[in-house]
Amino acid sequence: MRRREFVLSGLLASASGSAYCWPSIFSSEETADVVIVGAGGAGLSAALRASELIKGKIVVLEKSKHVGGSTLISGGYLGVVDPVRQLPYGIHDSEEQHFQDISSNADNTGDPELIHHLVSKSKEMLEWLEKAGMRFRPELIEIYGSHFPRCHVPEEPNGYGYISTLVNRSVQNNVELRTGSPVVSLDTDKSGAVVGLAYLKDGKLQKINANKGVILASGGFGANPAMVEKFDPRLAGLTCNCAPGATGEMLLQGEKCGAVLKDMNYIQCLPGVPPNGKIRVRFHNDISRFILINTDGKRFVNEDSRRDVLRDAVLSQPGRSCFVIVDREGFESYDLLMRRDAVRGIETGDAYKGSSLKELAEKLGVPPENLTNSVEEYNRLCTTTALGSQHHPIVKAPFWAAKSAMSIHYTMGGISINSSAECLNLQGVAIEGLYAAGECTGGVHGKNRIGANGICDALTFGMTAAETLASTL
């Protein structure tokens, strides 16, 4: 941070809540009806929904140079109960089942009110999103840690479809998207209501007064190693697959305004790039297609275990790493970008390919007999009900492997909210003018988030925040 920016940030910290101090240090001042902090899935869904309900100026501030956040670089899977798509495949699902999956896989540590809102509102969110132009493939799958085949697969790779759809529609509705605009302080009036904020643009401090409210959608803190280590020292030194902007400063700004932070020690990891790796090869996405083996060539955990169980199992292995194994059909089942990363991974040493399991084992440096036995035993289980759901045997050459270690993926803790996406103070009372959605909030998932619920959470509560704000007018 340049010295001038540091000094201005210090002035803002000392003047928190004292609006009369601000005009002398701002290069410009303006007024908007709604200001949204963060242009990922949560922020953009809030922006689009607000633009549909509110006539007025809506501004989205994104500190990075590009929009998209963690949604853009995610696998893109969306966990929503959808009988129209599920029943033709013989999948019987319900909101009650989704609620139970979320709750039980976090040992009932999530907030029931928030979970109920997520599962009951997400179908409406899905319909709204598709009406806006988002497209999904017809089939649903069970991904790593989702525990049920309710994961919608976008037609476009990763999270690109969500972001392009939301950006295009928001811009059509005259939402102002400003990148390279980090927020440095929230402004409160004498009653404690949030009435605006300050942000930097080209090194100059700008002020926006928010007539109707501020929505925080700034993401979590997974890309902030110091915060991660503070709340879970076991995870120190791991790589991160979050968006670079997920550094958590807006959680602290919300706290300065009286918002309570909760569940900060609940941090999720996924297979990712080892500390010395270069490319994340995501063979682990579809739970029916892969196995995990250790450096002895042995399978050491059930791949459909909870994400926190999988995290701890990998961290207990030599080198805190493992290999993810798929066959040709598994490789070809993934989208073009994932296959491209695997091919590039061969060049960088992050992926391996063998015409036989023996050849693959030799390239991995694991005992060939152990790898062969592990795959054959898994294939036998695929012919029974022992794995709990439909799995594909690993039989067709060539065989692929990716070297994986646990990477910081998602932080379940953040600002406490209610089911209306209002930020809550220590007494559980809503802070006037302040709303939050997505990964910057806590309580929705508890200690363990199930797969495909991250985007569902972001889009559903982003939509909710806008609707709540509009209903108070």
Side-chain angles (χ1 to χ4, degrees):
M1 181 180 290
R2 289 174 290 192
R3 184 178 183 280
R4 181 174 181 272
E5 294 175 6
F6 177 80
V7 172
L8 290 175
S9 297
L11 284 171
L12 285 173
S14 64
S16 179
S18 303
Y20 66 87
C21 296
W22 285 20
S24 62
I25 61 173
F26 287 98
S27 62
S28 69
E29 181 174 345
E30 65 182 304
T31 297
D33 293 283
V34 181
V35 184
I36 299 166
V37 183
L44 292 172
S45 62
L48 177 56
R49 190 63 178 135
S51 71
E52 295 171 342
L53 299 173
I54 300 169
K55 293 182 178 180
K57 183 176 180 179
I58 299 169
V59 176
V60 181
L61 301 174
E62 168 57 50
K63 73 176 182 180
S64 303
K65 294 182 180 180
H66 307 284
V67 301
S70 290
T71 298
L72 181 62
I73 62 174
S74 71
Y77 303 106
L78 179 69
V80 178
V81 176
D82 186 359
V84 173
R85 284 186 175 89
Q86 289 173 304
L87 287 177
Y89 290 92
I91 303 169
H92 297 274
D93 198 6
S94 67
E95 292 178 7
E96 292 76 16
Q97 180 64 48
H98 195 187
F99 181 98
Q100 184 60 33
D101 289 342
I102 297 171
S103 299
S104 63
N105 283 289
D107 296 333
N108 300 309
T109 52
D111 185 327
E113 176 191 342
L114 300 181
I115 299 171
H116 180 266
H117 180 79
L118 180 68
V119 301
S120 62
K121 183 77 171 179
S122 58
K123 183 62 165 62
E124 178 185 337
M125 176 274 294
L126 175 61
E127 293 171 351
W128 170 75
L129 189 63
E130 290 189 292
K131 192 173 295 184
M134 182 65 189
R135 300 186 306 276
F136 296 92
R137 286 157 48 180
E139 72 274 13
L140 290 91
I141 66 172
E142 178 183 341
I143 69 164
Y144 184 98
S146 69
H147 307 291
F148 200 85
R150 68 168 65 90
C151 307
H152 297 67
V153 183
E155 286 190 0
E156 296 179 279
N158 299 341
Y160 179 81
Y162 301 103
I163 301 304
S164 61
T165 297
L166 294 169
V167 166
N168 290 338
R169 289 300 301 272
S170 295
V171 171
Q172 289 173 14
N173 290 358
N174 298 314
V175 172
E176 298 183 26
L177 300 178
R178 301 179 188 176
T179 58
S181 302
V183 173
V184 295
S185 180
L186 298 174
D187 184 21
T188 57
D189 63 16
K190 293 180 180 180
S191 71
V194 174
V195 294
L197 54 76
Y199 74 101
L200 290 166
K201 185 68 176 178
D202 299 324
K204 297 180 180 180
L205 201 61
Q206 320 283 332
K207 179 181 179 181
I208 302 184
N209 301 306
N211 281 342
K212 298 177 174 63
V214 173
I215 299 175
L216 302 181
S218 52
F221 59 93
N224 185 330
M227 284 186 74
V228 168
E229 184 174 1
K230 174 183 177 181
F231 292 108
D232 192 341
R234 299 174 306 157
L235 308 183
L238 297 185
T239 59
C240 168
N241 58 47
C242 307
T247 47
E249 60 270 18
M250 292 314 301
L251 280 65
L252 305 181
Q253 290 299 325
E255 189 176 36
K256 287 181 180 179
C257 295
V260 173
L261 302 185
K262 64 184 300 183
D263 297 346
M264 296 292 283
N265 60 319
Y266 296 153
I267 299 173
Q268 186 166 90
C269 299
L270 286 188
V273 181
N276 59 348
K278 295 180 176 63
I279 295 175
R280 184 185 184 213
V281 181
R282 290 176 288 176
F283 288 152
H284 66 276
N285 277 350
D286 186 344
I287 200 68
S288 71
R289 295 285 186 180
F290 72 92
I291 63 170
L292 300 176
I293 65 158
N294 59 20
T295 54
D296 289 327
K298 296 181 179 179
R299 188 165 170 251
F300 59 92
V301 67
N302 289 332
E303 291 77 12
D304 57 0
S305 298
R306 286 171 27 166
R307 286 183 169 185
D308 54 347
V309 172
L310 289 159
R311 175 198 64 200
D312 295 345
V314 173
L315 291 178
S316 70
Q317 298 304 307
R320 303 206 297 178
S321 64
C322 65
F323 295 103
V324 188
I325 310 295
V326 299
D327 69 356
R328 174 171 56 83
E329 286 192 347
F331 173 82
E332 293 176 350
S333 72
Y334 288 121
D335 64 44
L336 182 62
L337 288 182
M338 293 185 190
R339 283 180 278 159
R340 180 203 65 183
D341 287 345
V343 173
R344 290 173 58 212
I346 291 179
E347 299 174 358
T348 62
D350 295 294
Y352 307 84
K353 180 182 177 182
S355 59
S356 66
L357 289 173
K358 182 177 183 294
E359 180 184 341
L360 184 66
E362 290 171 348
K363 290 183 176 181
L364 299 181
V366 306
E369 183 179 355
N370 288 354
L371 176 59
T372 300
N373 290 341
S374 295
V375 171
E376 288 178 351
E377 174 59 24
Y378 172 81
N379 291 343
R380 282 193 291 272
L381 292 175
C382 288
T383 64
T384 72
T385 59
L387 295 175
S389 57
Q390 179 65 43
H391 287 246
H392 300 277
I394 298 172
V395 293
K396 296 190 176 180
F399 300 95
W400 292 77
K403 186 174 183 180
S404 292
M406 283 290 120
S407 283
I408 308 300
H409 177 67
Y410 192 96
T411 50
M412 278 79 76
I415 296 171
S416 180
I417 59 171
N418 59 22
S419 60
S420 298
E422 298 171 305
C423 297
L424 304 178
N425 64 18
L426 189 60
Q427 290 73 42
V429 177
I431 298 170
E432 184 178 350
L434 188 62
Y435 309 84
E439 197 177 350
C440 69
T441 68
V444 179
H445 307 287
K447 69 187 294 185
N448 181 60
R449 179 178 69 77
I450 65 172
N453 261 19
I455 293 178
C456 181
D457 172 12
L459 302 184
T460 301
F461 276 95
M463 179 179 175
T464 295
E467 292 176 348
T468 301
L469 190 153
S471 71
T472 64
L473 304 182

